[in-house]
Amino acid sequence: MSLRQQLVDLYRALAARDMLIGSSGNVSVRTAFGMLITPTGCDAATLTDDQIVAMDLDGRWPGGLQPSSEWELHAAILRADPNAVWIVHTHSDHATALACLNRPLPAFHYNVAEFGGDDVRCAPYVTFGTPELAVLAARAIAGRSACLLANHGMICHAATAGAALSAAIRLEALCRQYLLALAAGRPRLLTRDEMDDAIARYGRYGQQESMT
Ligand code: 13P
């Protein structure tokens, strides 16, 4: 399947899970010349592969539909991290609620380690669609595969479209669980050693031993 169609399917899969409210949220994928990204004001119901915008990481595209207003956010992360391939930005409910507290997702659950460290940081608030947001987000996501964006939402990346969808769903679930725990009391945070053990174990997690 073409990268363009995979982007359309990824955007639709996020919408089907109520993770895109209206036209909020956008997705991109790295290419040899830069990236493919959803157009601004995207509608999951009518999005087609020919509406996907091809552009370089400096903001040049051949015309036609305008790229997402957050293209610089995507470009900054693609530029900073060679491991970033598929990028998802959403305003999903629980990630956004936590981001509106201007708080990171701390090590309240070992699954936080899936995002590359012992927290998911929250980039400070600046206006959406600005180069300043791109710089702050690239800084907050450094060494991780996700970060929150204060008073805005979240962004995450992965090596495949399926993994990027899964990462967005898992981050949203962890934010929901953290907010539930906060509402019920004061969650115990895991220690650095406990998180280091979880991170080390993730290196072997989910692999079936060879039977031969
Ligand atoms: P676009 O419609 O331009 O992609 O912007 C939506 C959004 O989420 C802004 O942060």
Side-chain angles (χ1 to χ4, degrees):
M1 191 194 300
S2 72
L3 285 180
R4 285 171 183 271
Q5 190 57 49
Q6 287 185 71
L7 264 186
V8 171
D9 290 353
L10 174 56
Y11 193 82
R12 290 227 179 100
L14 290 160
R17 286 166 176 78
D18 293 330
M19 295 179 73
L20 304 175
I21 298 105
S23 64
S24 71
N26 27 71
V27 298
S28 70
V29 60
R30 185 192 294 279
T31 62
F33 52 81
M35 64 181 167
L36 295 171
I37 190 163
T38 42
T40 189
C42 206
D43 177 352
T46 56
L47 181 66
T48 51
D49 61 352
D50 58 336
Q51 293 173 358
I52 297 295
V53 180
M55 64 189 307
D56 70 19
L57 299 186
D58 295 318
R60 284 180 287 257
W61 83 99
L65 290 185
Q66 298 266 342
S68 167
S69 57
E70 298 292 9
W71 71 266
E72 289 190 80
L73 175 63
H74 291 250
I77 292 170
L78 291 174
R79 219 183 266 116
D81 186 349
N83 292 319
V85 183
W86 290 84
I87 299 185
V88 169
H89 164 54
T90 78
H91 300 181
S92 57
D93 290 345
H94 298 86
T96 301
L98 183 55
C100 290
L101 301 177
N102 287 215
R103 286 161 75 152
L105 181 68
F108 81 106
H109 191 294
Y110 73 86
N111 283 157
V112 170
E114 289 179 33
F115 298 95
D118 54 12
D119 63 0
V120 174
R121 302 181 197 106
C122 184
Y125 179 78
V126 284
T127 309
F128 82 95
T130 59
E132 291 78 15
L133 177 61
V135 170
L136 291 170
R139 200 174 291 157
I141 205 171
R144 307 273 196 273
S145 57
C147 72
L148 303 178
L149 307 171
N151 307 90
H152 185 161
M154 61 77 118
I155 189 157
C156 65
H157 66 76
T160 66
L165 174 63
S166 166
I169 293 169
R170 285 180 290 115
L171 180 58
E172 172 63 9
L174 282 168
C175 291
R176 183 171 65 242
Q177 291 158 1
Y178 180 56
L179 290 170
L180 282 170
L182 272 184
R186 186 138 60 105
R188 177 180 86 80
L189 301 187
L190 299 174
T191 64
R192 175 60 56 84
D193 281 353
E194 287 170 333
M195 284 302 277
D196 283 350
D197 285 350
I199 291 167
R201 201 161 255 272
Y202 264 117
R204 311 189 295 278
Y205 171 73
Q207 294 164 21
Q208 302 288 346
E209 304 249 333
S210 165
M211 302 301 280
T212 54

